[in-house]
Amino acid sequence: MNQNYKFTLVRLFEFPLESVFASLTTPKALSKFTGKAAFEPKQGAAIQMFDGWVTGEILQVELNKTFIFTWKVAEWESASTVEYHFDGNNESCKVTLHHYGFPNKKESDSHKLGWEEYVFTPLAEYLTAKH
C-alpha cells in the first residue's frame, strides 16, 4: 500500500466520550449502524466489519483514547490502517480519524466519502436515538 494516499477526518459529537468510544469499538453497537461487525476489542484480535467486507487486525486499544486496526477490503492485495483518536468529556467527544495506506487515490477519495456516509452520519443518528 502507498503511504501517500491518506486522509484525516475530525468530527465533533455532542454525546459523552464513553458513549462515542463504545459505539465505535464494540461489535454489538457498531453492528447496529454499519452492518455486522465481529471482533473482540483487544490487541491482536481479528476484526470484521461491514458484513465481512472489511477484515483486519486490531493493533491498539486504549480505553476512551485510541483504537487502531488494519483495514482490508476483498479487492485489495494488502491492508491499510485506521486510527481513531478520541478526546472529550461527559458532554461531547472529538473523534480524529486517520486512514492511510490506500492502493491509489481513487480508493482514498472513495473511502473518505464512505466514512462520512457509512460511519459518521449513521453514528450520529444512532447516538441521537440512544440518548
Side-chain angles (χ1 to χ4, degrees), residues 46-127:
I47 186 170
Q48 286 189 6
M49 298 170 60
F50 295 97
D51 298 318
W53 181 67
V54 173
T55 59
E57 178 185 341
I58 297 174
L59 303 176
Q60 181 181 349
V61 181
E62 188 176 353
L63 184 63
N64 296 326
K65 293 186 186 238
T66 307
F67 188 53
I68 302 172
F69 54 96
T70 60
W71 173 285
K72 183 180 180 299
V73 298
E75 301 84 7
W76 296 357
E77 291 183 21
S78 56
S80 62
T81 303
V82 172
E83 295 186 8
Y84 281 121
H85 298 279
F86 300 85
D87 184 30
N89 54 39
N90 288 334
E91 296 177 11
S92 65
C93 177
K94 179 176 80 171
V95 177
T96 303
L97 169 87
H98 302 289
H99 195 163
Y100 53 90
F102 291 96
N104 55 55
K105 184 177 184 329
K106 180 181 175 190
E107 287 289 343
S108 176
D109 291 346
S110 172
H111 273 73
K112 188 173 185 179
L113 294 172
W115 279 105
E116 294 289 353
E117 185 175 347
Y118 299 109
V119 179
F120 290 135
T121 297
L123 170 61
E125 292 167 357
Y126 169 75
L127 290 167

